[in-house]
Amino acid sequence: MPPYAKRSRPSKRANIGASPLASTQGKTFLQKLGPGLITGASDDDPSGIATYSQTGAQFGYGMAWVTLYSYPLMIVIQEICARIGRVTGVGIAANIRRHYPRPLLYGIVSLLCLANVFNLGADLGAMGAAGRLLFGGSQLPYVVGFAAVSLVLQIYIRHTTYVKYLKWLTLALFAYVLTAFVAHVEWTAALRSTFLPSISFDTKYFTTLTAVLGTTISPYLFFWQASEEAEDIRNNRQEHALKRAPREAEEQFARIRVDTYAGMGLSNAVALFIILTTAATLHAAGIHDVETSAQAAKALEPLAGRFAFGLFALGIIGTGLLAVPVLAGSAAYGIAETFRWRASLEMRFGQAKPFYGVLAIATLVGLVLNFVGLNPIRALFWSAVINGVVSVPLMVVTMRMAANRKVMGEFTLPPSLRVMGWVATAVMAAASAGLFLTLGR
Protein backbone atom coordinates (compact mmCIF):
# COMPACT_ATOMS: atom_id res chain seq x y z
CA MET A 1 0.00 0.00 0.00
CA PRO A 2 1.51 3.39 -0.97
CA PRO A 3 2.46 5.76 1.87
CA TYR A 4 -0.29 8.29 1.21
CA ALA A 5 -2.93 5.58 1.55
CA LYS A 6 -1.87 4.34 4.99
CA ARG A 7 -4.62 4.32 7.54
CA SER A 8 -4.28 6.56 10.56
CA ARG A 9 -4.52 4.81 13.89
CA PRO A 10 -8.18 4.14 14.69
CA SER A 11 -9.80 5.76 17.67
CA LYS A 12 -10.18 3.73 20.85
CA ARG A 13 -13.88 4.40 20.55
CA ALA A 14 -14.12 2.58 17.24
CA ASN A 15 -16.82 -0.03 17.06
CA ILE A 16 -14.65 -3.10 17.41
CA GLY A 17 -16.41 -6.11 16.00
CA ALA A 18 -19.01 -4.04 14.17
CA SER A 19 -20.34 -5.39 10.92
CA PRO A 20 -18.89 -3.90 7.71
CA LEU A 21 -22.08 -1.99 7.03
CA ALA A 22 -22.50 -0.68 10.57
CA SER A 23 -21.26 2.73 9.50
CA THR A 24 -24.19 3.22 7.13
CA GLN A 25 -27.03 1.00 8.31
CA GLY A 26 -29.38 2.59 10.78
CA LYS A 27 -28.15 6.13 10.12
CA THR A 28 -30.62 8.99 9.91
CA PHE A 29 -30.83 11.18 6.84
CA LEU A 30 -28.69 13.90 8.44
CA GLN A 31 -26.06 11.38 9.56
CA LYS A 32 -25.66 10.19 5.97
CA LEU A 33 -24.70 13.68 4.83
CA GLY A 34 -20.96 14.34 4.62
CA PRO A 35 -18.63 14.84 1.64
CA GLY A 36 -21.48 15.62 -0.76
CA LEU A 37 -23.09 18.18 1.55
CA ILE A 38 -19.82 19.99 2.27
CA THR A 39 -18.78 19.89 -1.39
CA GLY A 40 -22.09 21.31 -2.55
CA ALA A 41 -22.16 24.02 0.10
CA SER A 42 -18.58 25.09 -0.63
CA ASP A 43 -19.60 25.67 -4.25
CA ASP A 44 -21.53 28.73 -3.03
CA ASP A 45 -18.33 30.47 -1.95
CA PRO A 46 -17.95 34.29 -2.03
CA SER A 47 -16.69 34.03 -5.61
CA GLY A 48 -19.79 32.10 -6.60
CA ILE A 49 -21.99 34.56 -4.73
CA ALA A 50 -20.45 37.39 -6.77
CA THR A 51 -21.17 35.49 -10.00
CA TYR A 52 -24.78 34.79 -9.07
CA SER A 53 -25.27 38.37 -7.84
CA GLN A 54 -23.98 39.74 -11.13
CA THR A 55 -26.30 37.37 -13.00
CA GLY A 56 -29.38 38.57 -11.11
CA ALA A 57 -28.39 42.22 -11.31
CA GLN A 58 -27.71 42.11 -15.04
CA PHE A 59 -30.47 39.83 -16.32
CA GLY A 60 -33.09 39.89 -13.58
CA TYR A 61 -34.96 36.60 -13.35
CA GLY A 62 -33.99 35.72 -16.93
CA MET A 63 -31.21 33.26 -16.05
CA ALA A 64 -32.79 31.63 -13.01
CA TRP A 65 -33.40 28.52 -15.14
CA VAL A 66 -29.66 27.72 -15.24
CA THR A 67 -29.68 26.69 -11.57
CA LEU A 68 -32.46 24.16 -12.21
CA TYR A 69 -31.16 22.63 -15.42
CA SER A 70 -27.52 22.45 -14.26
CA TYR A 71 -28.57 20.43 -11.18
CA PRO A 72 -28.61 16.98 -12.86
CA LEU A 73 -25.29 17.73 -14.56
CA MET A 74 -23.73 18.69 -11.25
CA ILE A 75 -25.00 15.71 -9.28
CA VAL A 76 -23.95 13.15 -11.88
CA ILE A 77 -20.31 14.26 -12.12
CA GLN A 78 -20.01 14.60 -8.33
CA GLU A 79 -21.58 11.19 -7.75
CA ILE A 80 -19.14 9.67 -10.23
CA CYS A 81 -16.19 11.29 -8.44
CA ALA A 82 -17.48 10.06 -5.08
CA ARG A 83 -17.83 6.52 -6.46
CA ILE A 84 -14.23 6.59 -7.71
CA GLY A 85 -12.97 7.58 -4.26
CA ARG A 86 -15.11 5.00 -2.47
CA VAL A 87 -14.35 2.12 -4.86
CA THR A 88 -10.59 2.66 -5.13
CA GLY A 89 -9.86 4.12 -1.70
CA VAL A 90 -7.80 6.97 -3.20
CA GLY A 91 -8.54 10.32 -4.83
CA ILE A 92 -8.66 11.56 -8.42
CA ALA A 93 -4.97 12.48 -8.68
CA ALA A 94 -3.80 9.10 -7.37
CA ASN A 95 -5.95 7.30 -9.90
CA ILE A 96 -4.70 9.46 -12.75
CA ARG A 97 -1.13 8.77 -11.64
CA ARG A 98 -1.73 5.02 -11.65
CA HIS A 99 -3.41 4.76 -15.03
CA TYR A 100 -2.50 7.76 -17.21
CA PRO A 101 0.66 9.54 -18.47
CA ARG A 102 2.47 11.75 -15.98
CA PRO A 103 2.34 14.90 -18.16
CA LEU A 104 -1.48 14.76 -18.06
CA LEU A 105 -1.39 14.42 -14.27
CA TYR A 106 1.09 17.26 -13.77
CA GLY A 107 -0.81 19.55 -16.13
CA ILE A 108 -4.21 19.01 -14.51
CA VAL A 109 -2.95 19.29 -10.93
CA SER A 110 -0.88 22.41 -11.72
CA LEU A 111 -3.84 24.18 -13.29
CA LEU A 112 -6.08 23.06 -10.43
CA CYS A 113 -3.71 24.61 -7.88
CA LEU A 114 -3.39 27.83 -9.89
CA ALA A 115 -7.16 28.24 -10.15
CA ASN A 116 -7.61 27.41 -6.46
CA VAL A 117 -5.07 30.03 -5.36
CA PHE A 118 -6.85 32.75 -7.35
CA ASN A 119 -10.16 31.61 -5.88
CA LEU A 120 -8.70 31.59 -2.38
CA GLY A 121 -7.42 35.13 -2.77
CA ALA A 122 -10.75 36.38 -4.07
CA ASP A 123 -12.72 34.56 -1.35
CA LEU A 124 -10.52 35.87 1.47
CA GLY A 125 -10.81 39.38 0.03
CA ALA A 126 -14.61 39.09 -0.13
CA MET A 127 -14.75 37.84 3.46
CA GLY A 128 -12.59 40.77 4.58
CA ALA A 129 -14.81 43.23 2.73
CA ALA A 130 -17.91 41.72 4.34
CA GLY A 131 -16.27 41.96 7.78
CA ARG A 132 -15.47 45.62 7.18
CA LEU A 133 -19.07 46.34 6.11
CA LEU A 134 -20.50 44.66 9.19
CA PHE A 135 -18.06 45.71 11.89
CA GLY A 136 -16.10 48.67 10.47
CA GLY A 137 -12.36 49.21 10.35
CA SER A 138 -9.86 48.20 7.66
CA GLN A 139 -10.39 45.25 5.34
CA LEU A 140 -6.92 43.66 5.44
CA PRO A 141 -6.90 42.72 9.16
CA TYR A 142 -10.12 40.80 8.59
CA VAL A 143 -8.53 39.03 5.60
CA VAL A 144 -5.54 38.02 7.72
CA GLY A 145 -7.77 36.90 10.58
CA PHE A 146 -9.99 34.71 8.43
CA ALA A 147 -6.98 33.11 6.72
CA ALA A 148 -5.33 32.42 10.09
CA VAL A 149 -8.49 30.92 11.62
CA SER A 150 -9.03 28.64 8.64
CA LEU A 151 -5.42 27.47 8.59
CA VAL A 152 -5.20 26.82 12.33
CA LEU A 153 -8.45 24.84 12.35
CA GLN A 154 -7.34 22.63 9.45
CA ILE A 155 -3.91 21.89 10.92
CA TYR A 156 -4.66 21.50 14.61
CA ILE A 157 -8.18 20.04 14.75
CA ARG A 158 -8.68 16.43 13.76
CA HIS A 159 -10.61 15.93 10.56
CA THR A 160 -13.47 13.96 12.12
CA THR A 161 -14.11 16.89 14.46
CA TYR A 162 -13.54 19.60 11.86
CA VAL A 163 -16.04 18.02 9.46
CA LYS A 164 -18.74 18.51 12.09
CA TYR A 165 -17.95 22.23 12.15
CA LEU A 166 -18.08 22.39 8.36
CA LYS A 167 -21.48 20.72 8.39
CA TRP A 168 -22.81 23.35 10.77
CA LEU A 169 -21.36 26.11 8.60
CA THR A 170 -23.61 24.99 5.76
CA LEU A 171 -26.43 26.64 7.74
CA ALA A 172 -24.91 29.98 6.69
CA LEU A 173 -26.31 29.34 3.22
CA PHE A 174 -29.86 29.72 4.51
CA ALA A 175 -29.13 33.43 4.97
CA TYR A 176 -29.70 33.76 1.24
CA VAL A 177 -33.02 31.94 1.40
CA LEU A 178 -34.24 34.31 4.11
CA THR A 179 -32.91 37.33 2.21
CA ALA A 180 -34.99 36.40 -0.84
CA PHE A 181 -38.18 36.51 1.22
CA VAL A 182 -37.22 39.87 2.71
CA ALA A 183 -36.48 41.25 -0.78
CA HIS A 184 -40.09 40.90 -2.06
CA VAL A 185 -39.45 38.64 -5.03
CA GLU A 186 -42.10 38.55 -7.76
CA TRP A 187 -42.67 34.82 -7.39
CA THR A 188 -44.85 34.32 -10.46
CA ALA A 189 -42.21 35.81 -12.77
CA ALA A 190 -39.44 34.07 -10.86
CA LEU A 191 -41.02 30.62 -11.14
CA ARG A 192 -41.79 31.11 -14.82
CA SER A 193 -38.15 32.05 -15.53
CA THR A 194 -36.89 29.12 -13.45
CA PHE A 195 -38.84 26.46 -15.33
CA LEU A 196 -39.00 28.02 -18.82
CA PRO A 197 -35.53 28.82 -20.24
CA SER A 198 -35.18 32.08 -22.12
CA ILE A 199 -31.94 32.07 -24.09
CA SER A 200 -30.33 35.08 -25.76
CA PHE A 201 -27.38 34.85 -28.11
CA ASP A 202 -26.06 38.17 -26.89
CA THR A 203 -22.35 38.01 -25.99
CA LYS A 204 -22.89 39.19 -22.41
CA TYR A 205 -25.63 36.62 -21.88
CA PHE A 206 -23.51 33.76 -23.18
CA THR A 207 -20.46 34.84 -21.19
CA THR A 208 -22.54 34.98 -18.02
CA LEU A 209 -24.04 31.59 -18.80
CA THR A 210 -20.61 30.01 -19.12
CA ALA A 211 -19.49 31.74 -15.92
CA VAL A 212 -22.44 30.30 -13.96
CA LEU A 213 -21.81 26.81 -15.33
CA GLY A 214 -18.08 27.13 -14.60
CA THR A 215 -18.85 28.26 -11.06
CA THR A 216 -21.28 25.38 -10.54
CA ILE A 217 -19.16 22.57 -12.01
CA SER A 218 -15.57 23.17 -10.85
CA PRO A 219 -12.54 20.83 -10.79
CA TYR A 220 -11.74 21.46 -7.13
CA LEU A 221 -15.12 19.98 -6.22
CA PHE A 222 -14.25 16.78 -8.12
CA PHE A 223 -10.96 16.37 -6.24
CA TRP A 224 -12.42 17.21 -2.84
CA GLN A 225 -15.37 14.82 -2.89
CA ALA A 226 -13.33 11.87 -4.16
CA SER A 227 -10.59 12.54 -1.59
CA GLU A 228 -13.11 12.87 1.23
CA GLU A 229 -14.61 9.48 0.41
CA ALA A 230 -11.09 8.02 0.51
CA GLU A 231 -10.44 9.91 3.76
CA ASP A 232 -13.48 8.30 5.36
CA ILE A 233 -12.13 4.85 4.44
CA ARG A 234 -8.72 5.59 5.93
CA ASN A 235 -10.15 6.93 9.17
CA ASN A 236 -12.80 4.30 9.90
CA ARG A 237 -11.79 0.74 10.70
CA GLN A 238 -15.16 -0.68 9.64
CA GLU A 239 -15.10 0.93 6.17
CA HIS A 240 -13.15 -0.33 3.15
CA ALA A 241 -12.48 0.41 -0.49
CA LEU A 242 -15.29 -1.34 -2.35
CA LYS A 243 -12.87 -3.18 -4.64
CA ARG A 244 -11.78 -5.05 -1.50
CA ALA A 245 -15.20 -5.27 0.15
CA PRO A 246 -17.82 -5.53 -2.61
CA ARG A 247 -20.53 -6.57 -0.16
CA GLU A 248 -20.60 -2.98 1.13
CA ALA A 249 -21.29 -1.51 -2.32
CA GLU A 250 -25.08 -1.33 -2.34
CA GLU A 251 -25.28 0.46 1.01
CA GLN A 252 -22.41 2.84 0.24
CA PHE A 253 -23.69 3.78 -3.21
CA ALA A 254 -27.12 4.51 -1.70
CA ARG A 255 -25.48 6.76 0.91
CA ILE A 256 -23.40 8.55 -1.73
CA ARG A 257 -26.52 9.15 -3.80
CA VAL A 258 -28.44 10.67 -0.86
CA ASP A 259 -25.43 12.76 0.19
CA THR A 260 -24.72 14.05 -3.32
CA TYR A 261 -28.33 14.81 -4.24
CA ALA A 262 -28.80 16.74 -1.00
CA GLY A 263 -25.51 18.63 -1.20
CA MET A 264 -25.86 19.67 -4.83
CA GLY A 265 -29.54 20.45 -4.30
CA LEU A 266 -28.66 22.84 -1.47
CA SER A 267 -25.94 24.42 -3.62
CA ASN A 268 -28.20 25.10 -6.57
CA ALA A 269 -31.16 26.20 -4.46
CA VAL A 270 -29.00 28.82 -2.75
CA ALA A 271 -27.63 29.98 -6.12
CA LEU A 272 -31.24 30.38 -7.29
CA PHE A 273 -32.20 32.45 -4.24
CA ILE A 274 -29.18 34.73 -4.69
CA ILE A 275 -30.19 35.36 -8.31
CA LEU A 276 -33.80 36.01 -7.26
CA THR A 277 -32.75 38.37 -4.46
CA THR A 278 -30.48 40.50 -6.64
CA ALA A 279 -33.00 40.45 -9.49
CA ALA A 280 -35.78 41.71 -7.20
CA THR A 281 -33.63 44.47 -5.72
CA LEU A 282 -30.59 45.50 -7.76
CA HIS A 283 -31.94 44.79 -11.25
CA ALA A 284 -35.32 46.29 -10.41
CA ALA A 285 -33.56 49.45 -9.17
CA GLY A 286 -31.51 49.79 -12.34
CA ILE A 287 -28.25 48.52 -10.79
CA HIS A 288 -26.95 46.12 -13.44
CA ASP A 289 -23.26 45.85 -12.64
CA VAL A 290 -22.04 44.14 -9.45
CA GLU A 291 -18.34 43.37 -9.19
CA THR A 292 -18.08 41.67 -5.79
CA SER A 293 -20.28 39.83 -3.32
CA ALA A 294 -19.63 42.57 -0.72
CA GLN A 295 -20.77 45.22 -3.19
CA ALA A 296 -23.97 43.24 -3.72
CA ALA A 297 -24.54 43.13 0.04
CA LYS A 298 -23.97 46.87 0.40
CA ALA A 299 -26.30 47.66 -2.48
CA LEU A 300 -29.07 45.65 -0.82
CA GLU A 301 -29.18 47.85 2.28
CA PRO A 302 -31.12 50.86 0.90
CA LEU A 303 -33.33 48.58 -1.23
CA ALA A 304 -34.21 45.71 1.11
CA GLY A 305 -33.24 47.05 4.53
CA ARG A 306 -30.54 46.56 7.12
CA PHE A 307 -31.68 43.02 7.98
CA ALA A 308 -31.31 41.76 4.41
CA PHE A 309 -27.94 43.46 4.13
CA GLY A 310 -26.74 41.84 7.35
CA LEU A 311 -27.91 38.38 6.32
CA PHE A 312 -26.22 38.66 2.95
CA ALA A 313 -22.92 39.86 4.44
CA LEU A 314 -22.90 37.24 7.20
CA GLY A 315 -23.54 34.59 4.57
CA ILE A 316 -20.41 35.70 2.70
CA ILE A 317 -18.28 35.14 5.80
CA GLY A 318 -19.92 31.81 6.64
CA THR A 319 -19.62 30.38 3.15
CA GLY A 320 -16.05 31.66 2.91
CA LEU A 321 -15.06 29.81 6.08
CA LEU A 322 -16.58 26.71 4.50
CA ALA A 323 -15.01 27.15 1.04
CA VAL A 324 -11.44 28.13 1.95
CA PRO A 325 -10.63 24.72 3.54
CA VAL A 326 -12.10 22.95 0.51
CA LEU A 327 -10.06 25.02 -1.95
CA ALA A 328 -6.83 24.62 0.01
CA GLY A 329 -7.55 20.99 0.88
CA SER A 330 -8.32 19.89 -2.69
CA ALA A 331 -5.02 21.42 -3.86
CA ALA A 332 -3.14 19.67 -1.04
CA TYR A 333 -4.77 16.30 -1.78
CA GLY A 334 -4.00 16.68 -5.49
CA ILE A 335 -0.30 17.43 -5.01
CA ALA A 336 0.17 14.86 -2.22
CA GLU A 337 -1.39 12.10 -4.29
CA THR A 338 0.69 13.13 -7.30
CA PHE A 339 3.95 12.67 -5.37
CA ARG A 340 2.79 9.78 -3.17
CA TRP A 341 2.97 11.77 0.05
CA ARG A 342 0.97 10.83 3.12
CA ALA A 343 -2.24 12.84 2.84
CA SER A 344 -4.86 12.98 5.54
CA LEU A 345 -6.48 15.79 7.49
CA GLU A 346 -6.83 13.27 10.33
CA MET A 347 -3.04 13.07 10.76
CA ARG A 348 -1.11 15.46 12.92
CA PHE A 349 1.17 18.02 11.29
CA GLY A 350 4.29 16.03 12.07
CA GLN A 351 2.88 12.94 10.36
CA ALA A 352 2.10 14.65 7.04
CA LYS A 353 4.31 17.76 6.81
CA PRO A 354 4.42 18.02 2.98
CA PHE A 355 0.63 17.70 2.76
CA TYR A 356 0.02 20.39 5.36
CA GLY A 357 2.79 22.46 3.83
CA VAL A 358 0.92 22.62 0.51
CA LEU A 359 -2.31 23.46 2.33
CA ALA A 360 -0.59 26.30 4.20
CA ILE A 361 1.20 27.64 1.11
CA ALA A 362 -2.02 27.71 -0.93
CA THR A 363 -3.79 29.67 1.82
CA LEU A 364 -0.89 32.07 2.35
CA VAL A 365 -0.42 32.78 -1.36
CA GLY A 366 -4.14 33.54 -1.59
CA LEU A 367 -3.69 35.85 1.40
CA VAL A 368 -0.68 37.62 -0.14
CA LEU A 369 -2.63 38.34 -3.33
CA ASN A 370 -4.77 40.70 -1.27
CA PHE A 371 -1.67 42.74 -0.34
CA VAL A 372 -0.43 43.19 -3.90
CA GLY A 373 -3.48 44.92 -5.32
CA LEU A 374 -5.47 41.83 -6.29
CA ASN A 375 -8.33 42.84 -8.53
CA PRO A 376 -11.13 40.50 -7.40
CA ILE A 377 -12.85 40.56 -10.77
CA ARG A 378 -9.61 39.82 -12.60
CA ALA A 379 -8.88 36.98 -10.15
CA LEU A 380 -12.33 35.50 -10.64
CA PHE A 381 -12.06 35.89 -14.39
CA TRP A 382 -8.77 34.03 -14.63
CA SER A 383 -9.85 31.33 -12.19
CA ALA A 384 -12.94 30.80 -14.38
CA VAL A 385 -10.75 30.58 -17.49
CA ILE A 386 -8.40 28.10 -15.83
CA ASN A 387 -11.30 26.05 -14.50
CA GLY A 388 -12.71 26.00 -18.01
CA VAL A 389 -9.39 24.67 -19.30
CA VAL A 390 -9.15 22.03 -16.59
CA SER A 391 -12.75 20.86 -16.26
CA VAL A 392 -13.28 19.35 -19.70
CA PRO A 393 -10.16 17.14 -19.95
CA LEU A 394 -10.56 16.23 -16.28
CA MET A 395 -14.18 15.21 -16.84
CA VAL A 396 -13.14 13.16 -19.88
CA VAL A 397 -10.44 11.39 -17.85
CA THR A 398 -12.86 10.90 -14.94
CA MET A 399 -15.48 9.35 -17.21
CA ARG A 400 -12.92 7.01 -18.76
CA MET A 401 -11.61 6.00 -15.32
CA ALA A 402 -15.10 5.31 -14.03
CA ALA A 403 -15.77 3.02 -17.00
CA ASN A 404 -12.41 1.22 -16.77
CA ARG A 405 -12.45 -2.20 -15.07
CA LYS A 406 -8.75 -1.85 -14.21
CA VAL A 407 -9.68 1.16 -12.08
CA MET A 408 -13.16 0.27 -10.83
CA GLY A 409 -13.16 -3.52 -10.92
CA GLU A 410 -16.74 -4.75 -11.06
CA PHE A 411 -18.07 -1.30 -10.14
CA THR A 412 -17.84 0.45 -13.49
CA LEU A 413 -20.55 3.00 -14.15
CA PRO A 414 -24.10 1.83 -14.84
CA PRO A 415 -25.53 2.99 -18.20
CA SER A 416 -27.60 5.85 -16.71
CA LEU A 417 -24.60 7.48 -15.01
CA ARG A 418 -22.42 6.87 -18.04
CA VAL A 419 -24.83 8.62 -20.41
CA MET A 420 -25.53 11.55 -18.10
CA GLY A 421 -21.82 11.92 -17.30
CA TRP A 422 -20.96 12.30 -20.98
CA VAL A 423 -23.84 14.75 -21.42
CA ALA A 424 -22.43 16.86 -18.57
CA THR A 425 -18.99 16.68 -20.18
CA ALA A 426 -20.37 17.79 -23.54
CA VAL A 427 -22.21 20.73 -21.96
CA MET A 428 -19.05 21.88 -20.18
CA ALA A 429 -17.04 21.51 -23.40
CA ALA A 430 -19.55 23.74 -25.18
CA ALA A 431 -19.46 26.26 -22.32
CA SER A 432 -15.65 26.34 -22.30
CA ALA A 433 -15.56 26.77 -26.08
CA GLY A 434 -18.05 29.61 -25.79
CA LEU A 435 -15.95 31.26 -23.09
CA PHE A 436 -12.88 31.29 -25.31
CA LEU A 437 -14.87 32.53 -28.28
CA THR A 438 -16.01 35.54 -26.26
CA LEU A 439 -12.64 36.37 -24.66
CA GLY A 440 -11.63 38.85 -27.35
CA ARG A 441 -14.98 40.61 -27.61
Side-chain angles (χ1 to χ4, degrees), residues 209-230:
L209 174 62
T210 57
V212 172
L213 287 174
T215 301
T216 303
I217 303 174
S218 299
Y220 77 89
L221 303 176
F222 310 164
F223 277 80
W224 176 262
Q225 190 159 354
S227 294
E228 285 299 281
E229 289 290 341

Side-chain angles (χ1 to χ4, degrees), residues 73 213 217 422-432:
L73 306 181
L213 287 174
I217 303 174
W422 282 114
V423 169
T425 303
V427 170
M428 284 305 298
S432 298

Side-chain angles (χ1 to χ4, degrees), residues 270-419:
V270 169
L272 172 63
F273 278 106
I274 293 171
I275 292 174
L276 298 184
T277 296
T278 51
T281 53
L282 307 186
H283 181 80
I287 302 172
H288 298 155
D289 190 27
V290 176
E291 293 190 343
T292 67
S293 51
Q295 182 183 342
K298 184 65 176 176
L300 280 176
E301 186 172 9
L303 300 171
R306 180 74 183 177
F307 181 67
F309 154 74
L311 281 175
F312 205 95
L314 283 172
I316 293 170
I317 295 174
T319 57
L321 289 171
L322 178 64
V324 166
V326 175
L327 285 161
S330 61
Y333 278 122
I335 290 181
E337 291 178 352
T338 296
F339 295 105
R340 300 173 65 89
W341 297 338
R342 300 182 73 180
S344 174
L345 288 168
E346 190 72 7
M347 295 178 180
R348 300 188 183 279
F349 179 81
Q351 297 174 299
K353 289 182 180 178
F355 170 74
Y356 282 112
V358 173
L359 192 150
I361 290 171
T363 304
L364 293 175
V365 172
L367 172 63
V368 168
L369 289 176
N370 286 275
F371 287 86
V372 295
L374 172 71
N375 182 318
I377 299 305
R378 183 64 58 182
L380 293 177
F381 175 80
W382 284 110
S383 65
V385 171
I386 296 168
N387 278 328
V389 171
V390 178
S391 63
V392 177
L394 179 56
M395 290 173 76
V396 170
V397 171
T398 299
M399 289 302 300
R400 290 180 64 86
M401 281 197 302
N404 188 338
R405 292 189 67 87
K406 291 182 178 179
V407 179
M408 301 289 287
E410 63 183 282
F411 300 112
T412 55
L413 291 180
S416 58
L417 280 179
R418 189 175 303 187
V419 171

